[in-house]
Amino acid sequence: NIPALPGIKTYMSVSNYCNALSIGFPRKAIAISNKMFACMNGAEMSAVINHELSHIRNHDSLSLIGMLLAANSTGVGSIFYILISLKWQPMYISLFYVAYLLTSMFIIKQINKAIELRADREAVSVGGWNPYIVKGLVASLIKVGYPNSFKEQSIKSKLKNSLLDDHPPIEKRIVNIINLLQRNGTLS
């Protein structure tokens, strides 16, 4: 069963991946994959839902849309400025725009990594650092990340993941939670 959350539509998606996502704009919704339901216990599902609720409370999907619109608007505006004022050749304008898009995509992905760490922090702080939720989040991260943790990766693959992945590595997220617990005095 998908839990009832006031004001938020909940959906089960059919997927081969253990995943959940939230959308806060234009309507609030959380989608949880059937595989996640199959592999998570109650504490883990509670933590995952708290994580997704953090994204909704903080309007993260709207922020992402805003960042993408700002990046694209700035890029297009820059092209018109270059065309009119600097009179660059079309090839140089194309190269500039591609470089601009890659740079803005990289920056947005790095911001999204910080947003994910904040959602983890808020998920475990809900309810006064409830050990049930804290253990659930750590366990769910391990379950989601475990299949990829021991895969042999080339240096090129590791570099690609660190630059282009929009979620921090599972290990970093778990260390972040442990550090939060130590600072909060919950873990000594």
Side-chain angles (χ1 to χ4, degrees), residues 13 15 19 22 36 48-49 68 71-72 97 99 104 109 111 113 129 136 139 150 158-159 174 178 184:
S13 62
S15 173
N19 201 3
S22 58
M36 181 163 271
V48 167
I49 290 170
L68 292 170
N72 284 317
Y97 191 62
S104 60
K109 289 192 176 289
I111 292 169
K113 288 178 183 180
W129 301 85
F150 298 105
K158 286 180 183 178
L159 181 63
I174 292 171
I178 292 168
N184 186 48

Side-chain angles (χ1 to χ4, degrees), residues 2-12 21-24 27-32 49 52-53 56:
I2 299 176
L5 302 167
I8 300 172
K9 288 276 201 184
T10 51
Y11 300 95
M12 184 185 319
L21 65 94
S22 58
I23 301 167
R27 293 191 177 94
K28 297 175 183 177
I30 295 176
I32 303 167
I49 290 170
E52 297 306 328
L53 288 172
I56 291 172

Side-chain angles (χ1 to χ4, degrees), residues 6 23 32 34 71 83 86 114 117 150 164 173 184 186:
I23 301 167
I32 303 167
N34 59 322
L83 269 173
L86 302 178
L117 291 173
F150 298 105
L164 299 179
R173 293 174 73 180
N184 186 48
T186 309

